[in-house]
Amino acid sequence: MIITSFALVGLVFVPIGLASLSASEQVVEIVDRYDIDCIPEQFQNERLAYIQNSETNKTCTRNLIVPRKMNSPVYVYYQLDNFYQNHRRYVKSRSDKQLRSKAYEQVTDNCKPEDKANGLAIVPCGLIAWSLFNDTYKFSLDSKVLEVNKKNIAWKSDQDHKFGSDVYPKNFQSGALIGGAKLNASIPLSEQEDLIVWMRTAALPTFRKLYGKIEVDLELNDKITVVIQNNYNTYGFGGKKKLVLSTTTWIGGKNDFLGVAYLTVGGMCLFLAICFVLLYVFKPRTLGDPSYLSWNRNAAGHPS
Amino acid sequence: MVSLDLVKSLYAKFIDWDEEMYDHDTNTPSHAANTAISEDLGQVEYILTDKTGTLTENRMIFRRCCISGIFYGNESGDALKVDVELLNAVAKNVPDVLRFLTIMTICNTVTPIRSNSGAILYKAQSQDEDALVNAAARLHMVLISKNGNTLEVNFNGLVIQYEILDILEFTSDRKRMSVVVRDCQTEKILLLSKGADEVIFPCAYSGQQIRTFVDAVEQYAQLGLRTLCLGWRELKDDEYEEWSHMFKEASTALFDREWKLAEVCQRLEHDLEILGVTAIEDRLQDGVPETIETLRKAGINFWMLTGDKQNTAIQIALLCNFISSEPKGQLLFINGKTEDEVVRSLERVLLTMRITSSEPKDLAFVVDGWALEVILKQYREAFTELAILSRTAICCRVTPSQKAQLVELLKSCDYRTLAIGDGGNDVRMIQQADIGVGISGREGLQAARAADYSIGKFRFLKRLILVHGRYSYNRTAFLSQYSFYKSLVICFIQILFSLFSGVSGSSLFNSVSLMAYNVFYTSIPVLTSVLDKDLTEKTVMQHPQILFYCQAGRLLNPSTFAGWFGRSLYHALVVFFISVHAYAGEKCEMEELSMVALSGCIWLQAFVVTLEMNSFTILQHLAIWGNFVAFYVINCIVSTIPSAGMYTIMFRLGKQPSYWITMVLIVAVGMGPVLAIKYFRYTYRSSAINILQQAERSRGIIFSMGTLESQLKSVEKDVASLSITQPKNRNPVYEPLLSDSPTATRRSIGSSTFDFFQPAQSRLSTSYSRNCKNN
């Protein structure tokens, strides 16, 4: 029974593993780390000063080669490393009530230290909103602009129920310390999709967030030029910034883990099944023989 | 731990509901008054039992008698029914026989009650007296009425009146009672006495030949009968007057009245003419020998604590498999008239115990109340060692407080004790023991009320311990370790997560999910483990040795606990790292990852519980898989609430194939090694439980019950005793102490061993050899 179930699990797991692995292989992914390269030569030793200085030119141009044909939609992500969006103080520093409805504008209890500026409540308050990612990317292919669709990148449910359409940014980034992006005060929060995406905190210190979608196919060896506004300060805490272009399949983005794990587990199960069969063949054992019972063994005169 | 309490009260209910422990004779169900110690029942190592009413029915029947040297009832075993001689003697008005019957009828505190239909019923405090009066009535000596001091007896239609002058009451110190009556016809004053042989015989008038009576007592005791000696004497008027004066004074004394009364009584009870000996049978309860044999096989040691005579106690012990007869068993006596003698015999017994403890012999020691008192006072240590060495003991003539002291002694050696008794004199012992069991018998409910468990019959004890105790222990062992395990899994996941969140202490799971996980998702399936049976009741009864696993704490000890601890760590690692890797990058949203990890735990728990269950009922499947479905239903419902943190999460995840693939992966990685190890152990390193489980499963295919049993029996024949609790360093060569030799040889050897230990008891050897013959 056990042997067959091990064999069965093995036999089922190997194909699933192969399928997952091939799905993951089909995903075309371009990852480009730009946080260091986008700092001009003369500022390499004082990156922090460079990024904090509002006078410096933060524009940076990157060239990406498409390794395989990428079918639309091509998702554009930014990836941050070593960014603890799951830190307890950070996670709690938000006011869901305030985000949802204008009526709760003053509810900023959890938002300290970004709860009030100049005595007035900040909307949206809290560290999460305050640290909104503010790098921007402009793509062009053969000097033709590649449109990045930034609509529908946030969860529909968040737009409908978590972020109010009557809540407008107020007092945002008006304090002494400016964390990240500024928001257009004339657009309601439910339409601020970058913010909504950012406010879905990541559980791990390395995470990707959706920036937009390129809705044309990219051909093999296409040379894509990206103009980056390198504004976001990850230099203070040694974080990395990466730009990611990726397609998806049924399994999601590029992730070999499930496929490899399934193949390993399937293989192990088959191996165990074979071991047990061999054990059974070479060391057969009558099950349930009462003479094996310890008290009967002693009785028969064999010292145990 | 709420679930543990709930489960324990369920165990108690199972005992109350058990149909097989329902006493149909008296219509009393078993009852567990203490709900907290059911699992201790499975760990009992010593059972201390009362004799009368516990092992025996406490339904006395007059069987034999010896009147002035003539034995009645020897042939048939029942003096009343068939023995024509006795009836003839009664018909012929043999004076001794008549006087004997008169004492049987009068010398008691029985009250006759005439019912509406005219029949006479007797109300007696003592079952013995009841038996005697009833027996006399059947021999045409009928006690009709008792009005104040006058008493009427109908003998063959002739009404005889007596006036009761004084009653010299029975006390456990005096061990006898007497009445002084005036025969209204002859105006003679008579002293009628009955009591234990050792107190009546010394009162015989000098010159009376009491040899035959001593023999009779001996003979009856060897048959396990309770004996009483009857004697009488005619009092002269002036002697009585004088004594009566003293008696009245003593009975109104303010200080030491009891002692003074005894003193006065003693002055009258002398120069008796011994008339004869009555023998009353107290039948063993149904199934007592089987029960004791089974429980002894289960490695439980038995001590019998009784107020009865030594010989009677030994006989009862033999009858109910308490001790084995020669040559398998051997009795060692501790007694003596002086303290020195007691000590010497104790040392001798101890020495023998030490030497023979390595042999497969059934040793038992016998000690009486007086010796016990000396020993408990001064030689506790030696006796403690003896108690540890000996599996069986018979303590006779012990008082209630000595019973309690013995329980305490065993408890002080860290043994788990169970005391069982039925009467008021057992209450102290029952309360003192770890587990007290009361038999709701004829001596009232005193013991049953004081006890943790009350049962109707002694034989239910087998089921109480082997079935209820063992299952409760197994279930509690699983349940408590599982409770730790499932909580630890979540703990470890949280710790791992904190390593990934800058050790800031943020929680991967939201508080509602955490609470639901502990009190709901993981508690309900495991509650059904109260229905789990690792072995069927029948198998447990056939292989009581399996109880050893409970006694030795094999299922709940640091190493099994370490196993569960390791498993929780492993499962936490599996759940956490698979979730984190499968949901990395763009998918690592907090709520989603939290739900993935939580569902991973739920999936694993369902399989862990399923794997650990040994038997399945519909209820168990319903609880495990119903709970599993409920998890998804509940989370889907919560996912439809917009204000909830996990709004839409469950639907989102459900649509992703990778979610389901991840779940299956978690289960496979988590359960694979557990299953493989379990399978390997089950097949190649089987424990006794495993072997019996295998036998159960393959039964009907390979082994039929019959062959199994016969195999076991043939094996058991070779064994003298079980080596479970005995030291393992047995002689490599097994020498049977006595081969199948003729009875004559046995007798000589048997008596010689006894002579060595106990010259005075050499008579006993005959009884043993007779028993050997029976075997």
Side-chain angles (χ1 to χ4, degrees):
Chain A
M1 223 275 274
I2 302 291
I3 297 175
T4 45
S5 57
F6 268 112
L8 259 173
V9 168
L11 289 177
V12 172
F13 267 46
V14 171
I16 296 179
L18 287 174
S20 313
L21 208 55
S22 78
S24 171
E25 286 301 320
Q26 280 167 22
V27 174
V28 187
E29 189 183 73
I30 305 168
V31 182
D32 180 53
R33 182 179 173 189
Y34 63 88
D35 57 320
I36 298 204
D37 295 343
C38 275
I39 290 179
E41 235 12 85
Q42 67 268 32
F43 291 109
Q44 278 297 354
N45 290 327
E46 39 196 356
R47 292 174 195 154
L48 206 56
Y50 166 80
I51 202 79
Q52 282 173 339
N53 189 342
S54 55
E55 302 298 309
T56 47
N57 178 17
K58 306 257 175 34
T59 313
C60 164
T61 308
R62 309 282 297 170
N63 291 314
L64 308 172
I65 311 266
V66 178
R68 262 156 57 197
K69 184 176 189 284
M70 294 171 92
N71 292 325
S72 88
V74 175
Y75 292 91
V76 179
Y77 300 100
Y78 53 91
Q79 177 176 339
L80 294 177
D81 282 15
N82 203 24
F83 191 109
Y84 285 87
Q85 257 204 323
N86 56 9
H87 195 282
R88 191 166 58 90
R89 298 282 302 276
Y90 185 89
V91 166
K92 288 189 172 169
S93 183
R94 64 188 290 165
S95 169
D96 286 330
K97 278 189 169 173
Q98 189 201 48
L99 295 173
R100 199 181 307 138
S101 159
K102 195 181 167 73
Y104 296 112
E105 205 176 278
Q106 301 303 321
V107 181
T108 57
D109 304 340
N110 295 324
C111 290
K112 279 173 192 149
E114 290 299 322
D115 56 337
K116 286 191 169 71
N118 312 322
L120 293 167
I122 300 173
V123 183
C125 72
L127 283 172
I128 308 179
W130 175 78
S131 59
L132 176 61
F133 189 72
N134 62 352
D135 284 7
T136 58
Y137 313 114
K138 287 204 161 45
F139 295 86
S140 54
L141 177 61
D142 301 332
S143 54
K144 230 172 42 195
V145 173
L146 267 180
E147 276 304 324
V148 176
N149 183 1
K150 288 179 73 74
K151 280 281 161 213
N152 297 328
I153 54 172
W155 293 6
K156 189 82 173 60
S157 59
D158 283 354
Q159 282 185 288
D160 293 348
H161 296 283
K162 303 257 178 195
F163 291 81
S165 54
D166 59 344
V167 186
Y168 291 88
K170 255 184 213 165
N171 259 329
F172 193 63
Q173 303 288 26
S174 58
L177 269 174
I178 297 191
K182 299 192 169 158
L183 293 173
N184 186 342
S186 59
I187 302 173
L189 289 188
S190 60
E191 301 300 321
Q192 308 260 14
E193 294 200 35
D194 278 325
L195 175 76
I196 297 173
V197 169
W198 182 255
M199 296 290 279
R200 277 269 152 205
T201 51
L204 299 170
T206 297
F207 59 89
R208 288 173 181 181
K209 287 195 181 289
L210 193 55
Y211 179 82
K213 288 176 269 184
I214 298 174
E215 287 169 329
V216 290
D217 291 355
L218 299 175
E219 300 301 328
L220 175 69
N221 289 331
D222 272 358
K223 201 172 148 194
I224 299 167
T225 311
V226 193
V227 177
I228 300 171
Q229 282 299 319
N230 184 19
N231 298 322
Y232 200 67
N233 180 6
T234 55
Y235 305 97
F237 53 87
K240 297 172 197 162
K241 291 192 285 190
K242 287 172 186 165
L243 171 64
V244 180
L245 295 180
S246 171
T247 58
T248 58
T249 58
W250 58 269
I251 201 162
K254 185 151 188 82
N255 190 346
D256 290 347
F257 172 77
L258 281 177
V260 173
Y262 261 78
L263 284 179
T264 319
V265 171
M268 292 286 281
C269 284
L270 287 177
F271 173 75
L272 271 175
I274 292 167
C275 280
F276 282 142
V277 167
L278 288 180
L279 210 59
Y280 184 77
V281 170
F282 288 111
K283 227 180 125 191
R285 164 123 202 208
T286 342
L287 292 183
D289 185 347
S291 65
Y292 282 122
L293 290 174
S294 54
W295 52 89
N296 289 344
R297 246 191 335 237
N298 286 348
H302 308 297
S304 51
Chain B
M1 293 295 113
V2 178
S3 55
L4 261 186
D5 285 339
L6 189 69
V7 163
K8 282 183 178 188
S9 56
L10 268 178
Y11 299 154
K13 281 284 163 234
F14 286 155
I15 292 173
D16 292 0
W17 293 333
D18 196 332
E19 278 292 319
E20 285 181 48
M21 285 180 20
Y22 186 90
D23 187 6
H24 290 283
D25 296 348
T26 56
N27 281 335
T28 43
S30 300
H31 176 62
N34 189 339
T35 58
I37 56 169
S38 292
E39 59 272 10
D40 290 3
L41 274 176
Q43 294 179 284
V44 166
E45 289 161 300
Y46 274 88
I47 293 180
L48 296 102
T49 168
D50 175 42
K51 186 178 78 66
T52 315
T54 306
L55 299 176
T56 62
E57 279 186 336
N58 203 10
R59 182 174 307 177
M60 309 294 177
I61 299 167
F62 180 81
R63 285 295 184 208
R64 297 170 190 220
C65 60
C66 166
I67 305 170
S68 29
I70 304 165
F71 288 81
Y72 296 101
N74 269 12
E75 304 301 316
S76 56
D78 191 340
L80 298 177
K81 278 184 191 149
V82 213
D83 203 320
V84 192
E85 272 182 59
L86 183 58
L87 291 174
N88 283 344
V90 175
K92 278 187 224 151
N93 289 350
V94 177
D96 274 349
V97 174
L98 287 189
R99 221 160 266 139
F100 189 84
L101 288 181
T102 310
I103 298 174
M104 275 170 69
T105 319
I106 296 175
C107 181
N108 52 44
T109 51
V110 173
T111 325
I113 296 168
R114 195 178 281 277
S115 69
N116 293 337
S117 59
I120 297 168
L121 296 174
Y122 297 109
K123 260 202 132 126
Q125 283 185 324
S126 142
Q127 297 288 332
D128 295 76
E129 291 185 346
D130 188 57
L132 289 180
V133 174
N134 276 311
R138 289 179 62 177
L139 292 168
H140 311 301
M141 183 77 85
V142 189
L143 179 63
I144 305 176
S145 66
K146 221 178 210 177
N147 287 324
N149 283 340
T150 53
L151 184 147
E152 281 182 1
V153 173
N154 182 335
F155 177 64
N156 277 343
L158 190 71
V159 175
I160 311 166
Q161 279 198 331
Y162 293 96
E163 187 190 349
I164 303 175
L165 298 174
D166 287 301
I167 295 177
L168 289 66
E169 276 179 26
F170 176 88
T171 65
S172 48
D173 288 328
R174 275 164 34 83
K175 292 173 184 169
R176 61 183 180 254
M177 81 159 288
S178 308
V179 288
V180 182
V181 292
R182 189 197 302 275
D183 188 333
C184 295
Q185 286 170 313
T186 56
E187 291 295 315
K188 275 181 188 163
I189 298 175
L190 304 173
L191 170 73
L192 309 177
S193 294
K194 76 170 197 298
D197 53 304
E198 74 263 31
V199 291
I200 294 291
F201 288 153
C203 301
Y205 67 88
S206 54
Q208 188 183 7
Q209 287 297 317
I210 57 166
R211 182 78 214 158
T212 47
F213 297 122
V214 173
D215 284 347
V217 167
E218 204 58 62
Q219 193 188 332
Y220 292 149
Q222 280 167 15
L223 293 169
L225 300 173
R226 298 158 70 90
T227 55
L228 281 174
C229 295
L230 309 186
W232 81 293
R233 165 161 94 93
E234 208 182 309
L235 297 179
K236 295 200 172 60
D237 280 358
D238 51 344
E239 184 192 1
Y240 172 69
E241 289 297 329
E242 191 186 328
W243 177 83
S244 175
H245 189 68
M246 286 195 298
F247 184 69
K248 276 192 189 103
E249 218 166 73
S251 50
T252 53
L254 291 175
F255 302 103
D256 295 331
R257 182 161 56 207
E258 219 162 282
W259 183 82
K260 277 181 188 159
L261 269 177
E263 179 79 16
V264 174
C265 291
Q266 189 134 27
R267 293 201 183 188
L268 201 66
E269 291 162 337
H270 59 84
D271 288 334
L272 295 176
E273 185 191 345
I274 310 292
L275 282 172
V277 181
T278 61
I280 295 167
E281 183 190 51
D282 187 7
R283 279 212 324 221
L284 281 186
Q285 283 185 22
D286 282 346
V288 167
E290 294 83 356
T291 304
I292 290 183
E293 196 188 345
T294 313
L295 288 177
R296 271 164 61 87
K297 261 197 223 161
I300 297 176
N301 303 335
F302 266 95
W303 282 31
M304 184 200 274
L305 313 179
T306 174
D308 238 326
K309 282 167 56 71
Q310 182 168 307
N311 285 358
T312 317
I314 290 172
Q315 277 317 310
I316 293 287
L318 271 171
L319 278 178
C320 54
N321 283 335
F322 206 81
I323 46 177
S324 316
S325 50
E326 285 279 326
K328 265 164 84 178
Q330 188 179 345
L331 284 181
L332 307 169
F333 292 88
I334 305 173
N335 52 14
K337 291 207 164 49
T338 64
E339 285 193 16
D340 277 349
E341 276 178 48
V342 170
V343 175
R344 253 179 278 131
S345 77
L346 173 67
E347 277 164 3
R348 208 164 47 218
V349 168
L350 196 53
L351 202 67
T352 333
M353 275 293 183
R354 284 196 197 124
I355 296 166
T356 46
S357 63
S358 56
E359 286 171 28
K361 229 184 161 193
D362 225 3
L363 288 174
F365 71 84
V366 182
V367 64
D368 64 20
W370 190 77
L372 198 63
E373 201 173 323
V374 174
I375 291 166
L376 285 179
K377 235 180 243 162
Q378 294 166 28
Y379 307 96
R380 242 185 127 86
E381 274 172 39
F383 189 69
T384 308
E385 194 194 337
L386 184 66
I388 294 168
L389 282 172
S390 168
R391 297 200 61 207
T392 316
I394 298 169
C395 307
C396 13
R397 293 269 184 244
V398 288
T399 61
S401 75
Q402 278 178 326
K403 287 183 178 182
Q405 274 178 303
L406 285 171
V407 172
E408 207 188 330
L409 184 108
L410 285 174
K411 266 173 83 182
S412 69
C413 308
D414 274 341
Y415 286 119
R416 211 169 286 260
T417 53
L418 181 149
I420 179 166
D422 73 319
N425 58 344
D426 305 314
V427 169
R428 286 179 68 180
M429 157 173 99
I430 285 170
Q431 283 171 336
Q432 184 75 38
D434 293 315
I435 304 161
V437 179
I439 292 192
S440 36
R442 305 174 132 244
E443 277 188 43
L445 291 170
Q446 241 178 322
R449 288 228 178 85
D452 301 315
Y453 298 94
S454 68
I455 53 180
K457 289 265 157 43
F458 183 78
R459 68 187 140 95
F460 297 152
L461 191 64
K462 179 164 79 169
R463 197 173 157 77
L464 187 68
I465 290 176
L466 287 178
V467 174
H468 290 289
R470 188 172 169 281
Y471 282 154
S472 301
Y473 173 78
N474 288 0
R475 290 162 185 170
T476 303
F478 168 67
L479 202 66
S480 52
Q481 293 182 114
Y482 177 81
S483 300
F484 272 103
Y485 153 81
K486 60 141 194 208
S487 307
L488 275 179
V489 168
I490 287 290
C491 279
F492 282 130
I493 291 178
Q494 294 279 47
I495 290 170
L496 288 170
F497 179 69
S498 91
L499 299 181
F500 281 76
S501 64
V503 204
S504 61
S506 53
S507 166
L508 178 59
F509 307 104
N510 62 53
S511 55
V512 178
S513 296
L514 270 185
M515 198 186 66
Y517 173 85
N518 259 325
V519 305
F520 191 74
Y521 303 137
T522 58
S523 289
I524 290 178
V526 83
L527 272 189
T528 55
S529 72
V530 295
L531 299 171
D532 186 42
K533 294 177 174 179
D534 57 340
L535 297 169
T536 61
E537 292 166 12
K538 207 170 152 192
T539 313
V540 176
M541 289 294 193
Q542 271 163 353
H543 303 274
Q545 292 93 333
I546 206 75
L547 190 70
F548 172 58
Y549 277 77
C550 303
Q551 289 162 331
R554 281 278 185 87
L555 303 176
L556 177 61
N557 57 34
S559 73
T560 61
F561 192 78
W564 281 100
F565 184 85
R567 190 189 287 195
S568 66
L569 183 59
Y570 173 67
H571 280 171
L573 287 168
V574 165
V575 169
F576 185 71
F577 282 105
I578 290 181
S579 314
V580 160
H581 280 102
Y583 275 72
E586 73 277 7
K587 289 197 281 192
C588 72
E589 198 274 322
M590 193 75 157
E591 297 282 350
E592 277 192 8
L593 189 72
S594 150
M595 185 47 67
V596 169
L598 186 68
S599 357
C601 292
I602 300 292
W603 278 62
L604 264 185
Q605 299 314 314
F607 282 91
V608 166
V609 174
T610 311
L611 186 69
E612 293 298 327
M613 292 271 182
N614 298 290
S615 65
F616 283 97
T617 60
I618 295 168
L619 206 62
Q620 275 153 303
H621 281 299
L622 209 67
I624 294 172
W625 303 113
N627 175 69
F628 188 70
V629 172
F631 170 75
Y632 280 102
V633 172
I634 289 170
N635 279 298
C636 283
I637 290 171
V638 175
S639 293
T640 58
I641 303 169
S643 60
M646 54 194 238
Y647 177 50
T648 70
I649 298 288
M650 204 66 239
F651 301 117
R652 250 168 227 289
L653 288 174
K655 276 184 226 150
Q656 298 169 7
S658 57
Y659 170 76
W660 302 105
I661 291 179
T662 308
M663 289 303 113
V664 176
L665 181 68
I666 287 174
V667 170
V669 177
M671 295 313 292
V674 176
L675 196 65
I677 292 172
K678 211 175 163 78
Y679 170 75
F680 183 78
R681 277 219 196 128
Y682 180 82
T683 317
Y684 296 98
R685 298 278 181 276
S686 335
S687 69
I689 294 178
N690 294 149
I691 294 172
L692 291 178
Q693 282 170 341
Q694 293 157 4
E696 262 177 21
R697 274 164 211 173
S698 60
R699 184 167 302 154
I701 308 167
I702 305 171
F703 296 105
S704 71
M705 261 340 286
T707 54
L708 234 174
E709 231 171 330
S710 65
Q711 258 177 322
L712 270 181
K713 270 199 183 133
S714 67
V715 174
E716 271 157 19
K717 257 180 210 161
D718 304 332
V719 214
S721 68
L722 294 157
S723 40
I724 287 174
T725 47
Q726 284 183 353
K728 292 273 186 283
N729 53 347
R730 244 171 43 195
N731 289 343
V733 188
Y734 170 62
E735 291 175 359
L737 282 172
L738 286 169
S739 54
D740 271 4
S741 50
T743 324
T745 356
R746 262 188 220 173
R747 180 174 296 165
S748 69
I749 292 177
S751 56
S752 69
T753 38
F754 279 111
D755 283 343
F756 173 72
F757 295 114
Q758 182 48 258
Q761 297 292 340
S762 59
R763 259 185 256 113
L764 267 178
S765 62
T766 44
S767 81
Y768 282 120
S769 18
R770 188 177 50 240
N771 244 293
C772 288
K773 249 187 278 176
N774 294 343
N775 284 357

